[in-house]
Amino acid sequence: MNNKRIFFRFLFGGAAALAAVVLAANFTKITAAPPDDTRMILEHTHRTYISPPCYEQAQKTNHIAESTLGEARTHSYSPESACTEQSLQPIQITLSAWLQEKLGIQKGKWDW
């Protein structure tokens, strides 16, 4: 009888701890920034980069290439427009949403 009580106490304690972690993850906000592997278009003539949502309205030449944000920063390219700058601003998201993005369960803001 004593072993059963200990088992149920551990079981209840574990379930309560898990529930507390899940609850905290759903309410805890963190700042998320676009990762270096975020897809970008490099505009080599003007040495700028364009985020895909801003491509149609961007001032561009034919000297473009698909790359990443990390590569654009490595070459010291600057954002092509305010649209690109705004699309790459860090955001406040819950810890659980961030974790789901990292695990590939849901798409992130910068999954273009």
Side-chain angles (χ1 to χ4, degrees), residues 36-73 75-81 83-85 87-88 110 112:
D36 281 345
D37 66 349
T38 301
R39 185 173 157 243
M40 288 291 128
I41 295 99
L42 300 184
E43 208 303 329
H44 296 295
T45 303
H46 301 295
R47 299 187 52 81
T48 60
Y49 59 91
I50 306 162
S51 66
C54 303
Y55 182 77
E56 291 301 320
Q57 66 211 38
Q59 299 294 319
K60 56 198 172 291
T61 65
N62 286 337
H63 194 199
I64 60 174
E66 189 170 326
S67 190
T68 64
L69 181 58
E71 189 72 22
R73 290 177 175 160
H75 293 299
S76 300
Y77 280 25
S78 57
E80 186 274 334
S81 66
C83 176
T84 293
E85 278 187 272
S87 69
L88 297 172
W110 301 288
W112 298 311

Side-chain angles (χ1 to χ4, degrees), residues 29-32 90-94:
K29 295 268 187 170
I30 61 168
T31 300
I91 58 171
Q92 291 285 317
I93 61 172
T94 63

